Amino acid sequence: MKKGYIPNQHGAWAMLLIPFLFGMFAAKPNGVHALLFLGWLLVYLFSFPFLQWIRTQKWQVYGKPLLLYGGLLIPVAVSLLLARPVLWKWIPWFIPLFIVNCYYAKKKRERAFLNDLAAVIQFSLIVFVAYHVGGGDNWTLATELFGLSILYFTGTIFYVKTIIREKNNVAFYRFSIGYHVVSIAIALILFPPGILIPLFLLLLRAIWFPRTKITVKRSGMLEIAFSLIMAITALSVF
């Protein structure tokens, strides 16, 4: 595919899927979830060239994917809102966070921690939307899954930076480990005990892999496995 059509942010695919699964299976899967996920996917596919266009101003590169995904998104979004009009109320939650992404794209600082965190929160918010579509009414459970999503994916921010941009930064490596330890402490208080299993694995990952010569590609492949472990465990214990 031509540049601009397929996002090159590989870690975002897990963030696109796992919070959605959290919300859907915590409630009750139904046919509207298929339409919701299609819309959610198109929002992501649209936002990637949009942010790249803001950063580069290269309409000749990103204009066509913007028009393609925007054209596909509009009828899906309209159909979804006709099927579940109440979903309007969730849209304002996403807008301020997307504005943060636009700001950092304009400044050409997409790798800034606050920009990454805003993205993590955005992706995690789909927990509530998918839960709502499924008819869920235990909002304490939905909030716990939302918090787990943020806790997990924020940890991946730190870990990935120790593999790539902060590879030789000892202080950042220690901070990453500290974050994972704090995550376990938070989980002990807020979440079912079973969720500690993947969190301990993630702590070991944060300690060991940055000290090896692991490649970015291999690390990315392993992240898929860790994401699946987290998703399966969470859906089993909550």
Side-chain angles (χ1 to χ4, degrees), residues 193-202 229 233:
I195 207 66
L196 295 175
I197 297 172
L199 290 177
F200 273 115
L201 290 175
L202 294 172
I229 292 170
T233 305

Side-chain angles (χ1 to χ4, degrees), residues 37-162:
F37 185 75
L38 177 59
W40 182 231
L41 175 61
L42 288 170
V43 166
Y44 174 56
L45 292 175
F46 175 84
S47 66
F48 175 74
F50 182 78
L51 292 172
Q52 293 302 308
W53 170 62
I54 289 178
R55 184 176 69 87
T56 66
Q57 296 298 300
K58 293 181 178 179
W59 180 258
Q60 69 275 20
V61 176
Y62 298 106
K64 288 183 178 180
L66 271 173
L67 294 174
L68 171 63
Y69 293 132
L72 293 172
L73 176 59
I74 290 171
V76 173
V78 170
S79 300
L80 186 60
L81 290 171
L82 288 174
R84 292 287 193 277
V86 73
L87 294 180
W88 273 109
K89 78 173 192 176
W90 293 108
I91 296 175
W93 291 85
F94 292 86
I95 294 174
L97 296 162
F98 188 65
I99 290 174
V100 172
N101 295 151
C102 292
Y103 169 80
Y104 280 102
K106 184 68 174 178
K107 295 294 183 180
K108 296 180 172 61
R109 295 180 56 206
E110 297 96 327
R111 301 301 180 185
F113 174 75
L114 288 179
N115 187 52
D116 289 339
L117 184 60
V120 165
I121 297 172
Q122 277 183 86
F123 280 109
S124 298
L125 280 171
I126 200 65
V127 169
F128 292 116
V129 184
Y131 187 74
H132 198 176
V133 166
D137 57 6
N138 184 352
W139 292 102
T140 299
L141 172 61
T143 302
E144 289 177 350
L145 290 168
F146 170 70
L148 176 63
S149 178
I150 292 176
L151 197 70
Y152 166 53
F153 285 113
T154 301
T156 67
I157 295 174
F158 290 117
Y159 165 69
V160 169
K161 287 184 183 297
T162 62

